[in-house]
Amino acid sequence: MTLSNSFKSISLVTGGLLLSYVGFTNPAIAFSVTFNNSGFEDSIDFNDGNGWEGTGDTLRDSGNIFTQIAPITGSSQALITTGRHTETDDPNTTASTFNYSDINPVTATSDDGADELQDFLGLSTGALSINRSNSDDDTKLRTAKEGSGIYQDFTVTIDQSDIDDGTNAFYLSFNWAYLTNEPTDSRLGDQDFAFFTVFDTDTNNTPVANRSITVLDDSNDDSFTTPLDSGLTDFQETNTSSYSNNSLYTYTSEPITTPGTYTYRVGFGVVDVDGLDRSSGLLLDNFQVQEVPFEFSPTAGIALMLGLLGCDRLRRRMRSR
């Protein structure tokens, strides 16, 4: 082998190392996640103790119940609403117009014994009493009244190699759309809202009082027709900005610093605020739990790149002699 060919081989090897380093995802690590029915394609019994659990008006829609928005992936999606089956919520409609499961929402107030949704999701009584916006007094909290929700518990296993490699966290991604007939109130501001929550179910790691929610969207439009048009069966406002293949909502967990198997809960809900009238809903699809990818080290990458460039320059010099 000539000296020039030797340097060429070194360059190719160095380049290969660089590419393998950039694309390395450490396939032998012990990181694992257990999660069921991420696309809601399998049949759901929200009370079977396996996979998704639900309370209130929650269902798996295979396209023959809710026709306003099609699923993102496959043929099914999850639908959660505040619509009641037994009473009329929305003007110019009949009872159950925006209720799809024939099951009423559950209580969601900040009073002990009337916080069924919070209890179901594993949240504190006051977790749904969030700040107001666009109201006469934004210092006052919204008064959650009732709502519906779903959750699933999943396990994440981390070992020391994951921690050493920096792959000791996970991220969630999903598509969602907020649906509502609730306009902004001139005095009370934005009212109904949809949310999600994720936390370690071990109360030693995440006490119930520290479990928070993230608001996905709320009723913040004051241009609705009031009352609803006669015979209306579609929600008046639909926020579908995160309901496409090109737009995912993502959440990244805090790093897990001790090896072991952990149980997390991810929950979703939609809540009636200040009153029980006017239905709101949340569509979900394409839910995923994945390992945070191996992070490329800039220092190591620069060193490899400089080595590659150095070999290439030396090879050129040798060729020009």
Side-chain angles (χ1 to χ4, degrees), residues 47-116:
N47 297 299
D48 65 358
N50 182 27
W52 293 105
E53 300 293 319
T55 191
D57 185 34
T58 58
L59 77 159
R60 167 181 172 259
D61 172 39
S62 296
N64 58 345
I65 299 175
F66 181 78
T67 59
Q68 191 174 349
I69 303 171
I72 293 293
T73 59
S75 60
S76 298
Q77 57 194 344
L79 176 60
I80 310 168
T81 88
T82 64
R84 286 179 291 175
H85 173 56
T86 54
E87 297 182 50
T88 300
D89 289 324
D90 305 276
N92 285 341
T93 65
T94 59
S96 209
T97 297
F98 292 96
N99 177 289
Y100 300 88
S101 69
D102 296 342
I103 300 174
N104 284 325
V106 298
T107 59
T109 74
S110 56
D111 298 326
D112 288 334
D115 55 347
E116 295 175 78

Coordinates of all heavy atoms in Angstrom, one line a residue, residues 47-116:
N47 N -62.2 0.8 31.4 CA -62.2 0.3 32.8 C -61.7 -1.1 32.9 O -62.0 -1.8 33.8 CB -63.6 0.4 33.3 CG -64.2 1.8 33.4 OD1 -63.6 2.7 34.0 ND2 -65.3 2.1 32.6
D48 N -60.8 -1.5 32.0 CA -60.3 -2.9 32.1 C -59.0 -3.0 32.8 O -58.4 -4.1 32.9 CB -60.2 -3.5 30.7 CG -59.2 -2.8 29.8 OD1 -58.5 -1.9 30.3 OD2 -59.0 -3.3 28.7
G49 N -58.4 -1.9 33.2 CA -57.1 -1.9 33.9 C -55.9 -2.2 33.1 O -54.9 -2.5 33.6
N50 N -56.1 -2.1 31.7 CA -55.0 -2.5 30.8 C -55.0 -1.4 29.7 O -55.8 -1.3 28.9 CB -55.2 -3.8 30.2 CG -54.1 -4.2 29.3 OD1 -53.0 -3.7 29.4 ND2 -54.4 -5.1 28.3
G51 N -53.9 -0.6 29.8 CA -53.8 0.5 28.8 C -54.5 1.8 29.2 O -54.4 2.2 30.4
W52 N -55.2 2.4 28.3 CA -55.9 3.6 28.6 C -57.1 3.4 29.6 O -57.9 2.5 29.4 CB -56.5 4.3 27.3 CG -55.4 4.8 26.4 CD1 -55.0 4.2 25.2 CD2 -54.6 5.9 26.6 NE1 -54.0 4.9 24.7 CE2 -53.7 6.0 25.4 CE3 -54.5 6.9 27.5 CZ2 -52.8 7.0 25.3 CZ3 -53.6 8.0 27.3 CH2 -52.7 8.0 26.2
E53 N -57.2 4.3 30.5 CA -58.4 4.3 31.5 C -59.1 5.7 31.2 O -58.5 6.7 30.9 CB -57.9 4.2 32.9 CG -57.2 2.9 33.2 CD -58.1 1.7 33.1 OE1 -59.2 1.8 33.5 OE2 -57.6 0.7 32.6
G54 N -60.4 5.7 31.4 CA -61.2 6.9 31.2 C -62.3 7.1 32.2 O -62.7 6.2 32.8
T55 N -62.7 8.4 32.3 CA -63.9 8.7 33.1 C -64.6 9.9 32.4 O -64.0 10.7 31.7 CB -63.4 9.1 34.5 OG1 -64.6 9.2 35.3 CG2 -62.7 10.5 34.5
G56 N -65.9 9.9 32.6 CA -66.7 10.9 31.9 C -67.0 10.5 30.5 O -67.0 9.3 30.1
D57 N -67.2 11.5 29.6 CA -67.5 11.3 28.2 C -66.2 11.1 27.4 O -65.6 12.0 26.9 CB -68.2 12.5 27.6 CG -68.7 12.2 26.2 OD1 -69.0 11.0 25.8 OD2 -68.7 13.2 25.4
T58 N -65.7 9.8 27.4 CA -64.4 9.5 26.7 C -64.7 8.2 25.9 O -65.4 7.3 26.3 CB -63.3 9.1 27.7 OG1 -63.8 8.1 28.6 CG2 -63.0 10.3 28.6
L59 N -64.1 8.2 24.6 CA -64.4 7.1 23.8 C -63.3 7.0 22.7 O -62.6 8.0 22.4 CB -65.8 7.2 23.1 CG -65.9 8.1 21.9 CD1 -67.1 7.7 21.1 CD2 -66.1 9.6 22.4
R60 N -63.2 5.9 22.1 CA -62.4 5.7 20.9 C -63.3 5.8 19.7 O -64.3 5.1 19.6 CB -61.8 4.3 20.9 CG -61.2 3.8 19.6 CD -60.7 2.4 19.8 NE -60.2 1.8 18.6 CZ -60.9 0.9 17.9 NH1 -62.1 0.5 18.3 NH2 -60.5 0.4 16.7
D61 N -63.0 6.8 18.8 CA -63.8 7.1 17.7 C -63.1 6.5 16.4 O -62.0 6.8 16.1 CB -64.0 8.6 17.5 CG -64.6 8.9 16.2 OD1 -65.6 8.2 15.8 OD2 -64.2 9.9 15.6
S62 N -63.8 5.6 15.8 CA -63.3 5.0 14.6 C -63.8 5.6 13.3 O -63.9 5.0 12.2 CB -63.6 3.5 14.6 OG -63.0 2.8 15.6
G63 N -64.3 6.9 13.4 CA -64.7 7.6 12.3 C -66.2 7.6 12.0 O -66.7 8.3 11.1
N64 N -66.9 6.8 12.8 CA -68.3 6.7 12.5 C -69.2 7.4 13.6 O -70.4 7.3 13.6 CB -68.8 5.2 12.5 CG -68.4 4.4 13.8 OD1 -67.6 5.0 14.5 ND2 -69.0 3.3 14.0
I65 N -68.5 8.0 14.5 CA -69.2 8.8 15.6 C -69.0 10.3 15.4 O -69.9 11.0 15.2 CB -68.8 8.3 17.0 CG1 -69.1 6.8 17.1 CG2 -69.4 9.1 18.1 CD1 -68.6 6.2 18.4
F66 N -67.7 10.6 15.5 CA -67.3 12.1 15.3 C -66.7 12.2 14.0 O -65.7 11.7 13.6 CB -66.3 12.4 16.4 CG -65.9 13.9 16.4 CD1 -66.7 14.9 16.9 CD2 -64.7 14.3 15.8 CE1 -66.3 16.2 16.9 CE2 -64.3 15.6 15.8 CZ -65.1 16.6 16.3
T67 N -67.4 13.0 13.1 CA -67.0 13.1 11.7 C -66.4 14.5 11.4 O -66.1 14.7 10.2 CB -68.2 12.8 10.8 OG1 -69.3 13.8 11.1 CG2 -68.7 11.4 11.0
Q68 N -66.3 15.3 12.4 CA -65.8 16.7 12.1 C -64.4 16.7 11.7 O -64.0 17.5 10.8 CB -66.1 17.6 13.3 CG -65.8 19.1 13.0 CD -66.2 19.9 14.2 OE1 -66.8 19.5 15.1 NE2 -65.9 21.2 14.1
I69 N -63.5 15.9 12.3 CA -62.1 15.8 12.0 C -61.7 14.4 11.9 O -62.0 13.6 12.8 CB -61.3 16.6 13.1 CG1 -61.8 18.0 13.3 CG2 -59.8 16.5 12.8 CD1 -61.2 18.7 14.4
A70 N -60.9 14.0 10.9 CA -60.5 12.7 10.7 C -59.3 12.3 11.6 O -58.5 13.2 11.9 CB -60.2 12.4 9.2
P71 N -59.1 11.0 11.9 CA -57.9 10.6 12.6 C -56.6 11.0 11.9 O -56.6 11.1 10.7 CB -58.0 9.1 12.8 CG -59.5 8.9 12.6 CD -60.0 9.9 11.7
I72 N -55.5 11.2 12.6 CA -54.2 11.5 12.1 C -53.6 10.2 11.5 O -53.1 10.2 10.3 CB -53.3 12.1 13.1 CG1 -53.8 13.4 13.5 CG2 -51.8 12.2 12.6 CD1 -53.7 14.5 12.5
T73 N -53.5 9.1 12.3 CA -53.0 7.9 11.8 C -54.0 6.8 12.0 O -54.8 6.8 12.9 CB -51.7 7.5 12.6 OG1 -52.1 7.4 14.0 CG2 -50.6 8.6 12.5
G74 N -54.0 5.8 11.1 CA -54.9 4.7 11.1 C -56.3 5.2 11.0 O -56.6 6.2 10.3
S75 N -57.3 4.5 11.7 CA -58.7 4.8 11.5 C -59.4 5.2 12.8 O -60.6 5.4 12.8 CB -59.4 3.6 10.9 OG -59.2 2.5 11.8
S76 N -58.6 5.4 13.9 CA -59.2 5.7 15.2 C -58.5 6.9 15.9 O -57.3 7.1 15.6 CB -59.2 4.5 16.1 OG -60.0 3.5 15.5
Q77 N -59.2 7.5 16.8 CA -58.6 8.5 17.6 C -59.4 8.6 18.9 O -60.5 7.9 19.0 CB -58.8 9.9 16.9 CG -60.2 10.3 16.5 CD -60.3 11.4 15.6 OE1 -59.4 12.1 15.3 NE2 -61.5 11.5 14.9
A78 N -58.9 9.3 19.9 CA -59.6 9.4 21.2 C -60.4 10.7 21.2 O -59.8 11.7 20.7 CB -58.7 9.3 22.4
L79 N -61.6 10.7 21.8 CA -62.4 11.9 21.9 C -62.8 12.1 23.3 O -63.4 11.1 23.9 CB -63.6 11.9 21.0 CG -64.6 13.0 21.0 CD1 -63.9 14.4 20.7 CD2 -65.7 12.8 20.1
I80 N -62.6 13.2 23.9 CA -63.0 13.5 25.3 C -63.8 14.8 25.3 O -63.4 15.8 24.7 CB -61.7 13.8 26.2 CG1 -60.7 12.6 26.0 CG2 -62.1 14.0 27.6 CD1 -59.3 13.0 26.6
T81 N -64.9 14.8 25.9 CA -65.8 16.1 25.9 C -66.4 16.3 27.3 O -66.4 15.5 28.2 CB -66.9 16.0 24.9 OG1 -68.1 15.4 25.5 CG2 -66.6 15.2 23.7
T82 N -66.9 17.6 27.4 CA -67.7 17.9 28.6 C -69.2 17.9 28.4 O -70.0 18.3 29.2 CB -67.3 19.4 29.1 OG1 -67.7 20.3 28.0 CG2 -65.8 19.5 29.3
G83 N -69.5 17.4 27.2 CA -71.0 17.3 26.9 C -71.7 16.3 27.8 O -71.2 15.2 28.0
R84 N -72.9 16.7 28.2 CA -73.7 15.8 29.1 C -74.7 15.0 28.3 O -75.2 15.5 27.3 CB -74.4 16.6 30.2 CG -73.4 17.1 31.3 CD -74.1 17.9 32.3 NE -74.6 19.2 31.8 CZ -75.3 20.1 32.5 NH1 -75.7 19.8 33.7 NH2 -75.7 21.2 31.9
H85 N -74.9 13.8 28.7 CA -75.9 12.9 28.1 C -77.3 13.2 28.5 O -78.3 13.0 27.7 CB -75.5 11.4 28.4 CG -76.5 10.4 27.9 ND1 -76.9 10.4 26.5 CD2 -77.2 9.5 28.5 CE1 -77.7 9.4 26.4 NE2 -78.0 8.8 27.6
T86 N -77.5 13.6 29.7 CA -78.8 13.7 30.3 C -79.4 15.1 30.3 O -80.6 15.2 30.6 CB -78.8 13.2 31.7 OG1 -77.8 13.9 32.5 CG2 -78.5 11.7 31.8
E87 N -78.6 16.1 30.0 CA -79.1 17.5 30.0 C -78.6 18.2 28.7 O -77.6 17.9 28.1 CB -78.7 18.2 31.2 CG -79.3 17.6 32.5 CD -78.8 18.3 33.7 OE1 -79.0 19.6 33.7 OE2 -78.3 17.7 34.7
T88 N -79.3 19.3 28.4 CA -79.0 20.1 27.3 C -77.9 21.1 27.7 O -78.1 21.9 28.6 CB -80.2 20.9 26.7 OG1 -81.1 19.9 26.3 CG2 -79.8 21.8 25.5
D89 N -76.7 21.1 27.1 CA -75.6 22.0 27.4 C -75.6 23.2 26.5 O -75.2 24.3 26.9 CB -74.3 21.3 27.2 CG -74.1 20.2 28.3 OD1 -74.5 20.5 29.5 OD2 -73.5 19.2 28.0
D90 N -76.0 23.0 25.2 CA -75.8 24.1 24.2 C -77.1 24.6 23.7 O -77.9 23.8 23.3 CB -74.9 23.6 23.1 CG -73.6 23.0 23.6 OD1 -72.6 23.8 23.8 OD2 -73.5 21.8 23.8
P91 N -77.3 25.9 23.6 CA -78.5 26.4 23.0 C -78.9 25.9 21.7 O -78.0 25.6 20.8 CB -78.3 27.9 23.0 CG -77.2 28.2 24.0 CD -76.3 27.0 23.9
N92 N -80.2 25.7 21.4 CA -80.7 25.2 20.1 C -80.2 23.8 19.8 O -80.2 23.4 18.6 CB -80.3 26.2 19.0 CG -81.1 27.4 19.0 OD1 -82.2 27.5 19.6 ND2 -80.6 28.5 18.3
T93 N -79.8 23.0 20.8 CA -79.5 21.6 20.6 C -80.3 20.8 21.6 O -81.0 21.3 22.5 CB -78.0 21.4 20.9 OG1 -77.7 21.6 22.3 CG2 -77.1 22.2 20.0
T94 N -80.2 19.5 21.5 CA -80.9 18.6 22.4 C -79.9 18.0 23.3 O -78.6 18.1 23.0 CB -81.7 17.5 21.7 OG1 -80.8 16.8 20.8 CG2 -82.7 18.1 20.8
A95 N -80.3 17.3 24.4 CA -79.4 16.6 25.3 C -78.6 15.6 24.5 O -79.1 15.0 23.6 CB -80.2 15.9 26.4
S96 N -77.3 15.5 24.8 CA -76.4 14.5 24.3 C -75.9 14.9 22.9 O -75.2 14.1 22.2 CB -77.0 13.1 24.3 OG -76.0 12.2 24.4
T97 N -76.2 16.1 22.4 CA -75.7 16.5 21.1 C -74.2 16.4 21.0 O -73.6 15.9 20.0 CB -76.1 17.9 20.7 OG1 -77.6 17.9 20.6 CG2 -75.6 18.4 19.4
F98 N -73.5 16.8 22.0 CA -72.0 16.8 22.0 C -71.5 15.8 23.0 O -70.4 15.9 23.5 CB -71.5 18.2 22.3 CG -71.7 19.2 21.2 CD1 -72.8 20.0 21.2 CD2 -70.9 19.2 20.0 CE1 -73.1 20.9 20.1 CE2 -71.2 20.0 19.0 CZ -72.3 20.9 19.0
N99 N -72.3 14.9 23.4 CA -71.9 13.7 24.2 C -71.9 12.5 23.4 O -72.9 12.2 22.7 CB -72.8 13.6 25.4 CG -72.5 12.4 26.3 OD1 -72.7 11.2 25.9 ND2 -71.9 12.6 27.5
Y100 N -70.8 11.7 23.4 CA -70.7 10.6 22.4 C -70.7 9.2 23.0 O -70.7 8.2 22.3 CB -69.4 10.9 21.5 CG -69.5 12.2 20.8 CD1 -69.0 13.3 21.3 CD2 -70.0 12.2 19.5 CE1 -69.0 14.5 20.7 CE2 -70.1 13.4 18.8 CZ -69.6 14.6 19.4 OH -69.6 15.8 18.7
S101 N -70.6 9.2 24.3 CA -70.5 7.9 25.0 C -71.7 7.5 25.8 O -71.7 6.4 26.4 CB -69.2 7.9 25.9 OG -69.4 8.7 27.0
D102 N -72.6 8.5 25.9 CA -73.8 8.3 26.8 C -73.4 8.2 28.3 O -74.2 7.7 29.1 CB -74.6 7.0 26.4 CG -75.2 7.1 25.0 OD1 -75.3 8.2 24.5 OD2 -75.5 6.0 24.5
I103 N -72.3 8.7 28.6 CA -71.8 8.8 30.0 C -71.5 10.3 30.3 O -70.8 11.0 29.6 CB -70.6 8.0 30.3 CG1 -70.9 6.5 30.0 CG2 -70.1 8.2 31.7 CD1 -69.6 5.6 30.1
N104 N -72.1 10.8 31.5 CA -71.9 12.2 31.8 C -70.5 12.5 32.3 O -69.8 11.6 32.8 CB -72.8 12.6 32.9 CG -74.3 12.8 32.4 OD1 -74.5 13.3 31.3 ND2 -75.2 12.4 33.3
P105 N -70.0 13.7 32.1 CA -68.7 14.1 32.7 C -68.8 14.0 34.3 O -69.9 13.9 34.8 CB -68.6 15.6 32.3 CG -69.5 15.8 31.2 CD -70.6 14.8 31.4
V106 N -67.7 14.0 34.9 CA -67.6 13.9 36.4 C -67.3 15.2 37.0 O -66.8 16.2 36.3 CB -66.6 12.8 36.8 CG1 -67.0 11.5 36.3 CG2 -65.2 13.2 36.4
T107 N -67.5 15.4 38.3 CA -67.2 16.6 39.0 C -65.7 16.9 38.9 O -64.9 16.0 39.0 CB -67.7 16.6 40.4 OG1 -67.0 15.5 41.1 CG2 -69.2 16.4 40.5
A108 N -65.4 18.2 38.9 CA -64.0 18.6 38.9 C -63.8 19.9 39.7 O -62.9 20.7 39.4 CB -63.6 18.8 37.4
T109 N -64.5 20.1 40.8 CA -64.4 21.3 41.6 C -63.2 21.2 42.5 O -62.6 20.1 42.6 CB -65.7 21.6 42.4 OG1 -65.8 20.7 43.5 CG2 -66.9 21.4 41.5
S110 N -62.9 22.2 43.2 CA -61.8 22.2 44.2 C -62.3 21.9 45.6 O -61.6 22.1 46.6 CB -61.1 23.6 44.2 OG -62.1 24.6 44.5
D111 N -63.6 21.3 45.7 CA -64.1 20.9 46.9 C -63.9 19.4 47.2 O -64.0 18.6 46.2 CB -65.6 21.2 47.0 CG -66.0 22.6 46.8 OD1 -65.2 23.5 47.3 OD2 -67.0 22.9 46.2
D112 N -63.5 19.1 48.4 CA -63.3 17.6 48.7 C -64.6 16.9 48.4 O -65.7 17.3 48.8 CB -62.9 17.5 50.1 CG -61.4 17.9 50.4 OD1 -60.6 17.9 49.4 OD2 -61.1 18.3 51.5
G113 N -64.5 15.7 47.8 CA -65.6 14.9 47.5 C -66.3 15.3 46.2 O -67.2 14.5 45.7
A114 N -65.9 16.4 45.6 CA -66.5 16.8 44.3 C -65.4 17.1 43.3 O -65.5 17.9 42.4 CB -67.3 18.1 44.4
D115 N -64.3 16.4 43.5 CA -63.1 16.5 42.6 C -62.8 15.1 42.0 O -61.7 14.6 42.0 CB -61.9 17.0 43.4 CG -61.6 16.1 44.6 OD1 -62.5 15.3 45.0 OD2 -60.5 16.2 45.2
E116 N -63.8 14.5 41.4 CA -63.7 13.2 40.8 C -62.6 13.1 39.7 O -61.9 12.1 39.6 CB -65.0 12.7 40.3 CG -66.1 12.5 41.3 CD -67.4 12.1 40.7 OE1 -67.6 11.0 40.4 OE2 -68.3 13.0 40.6

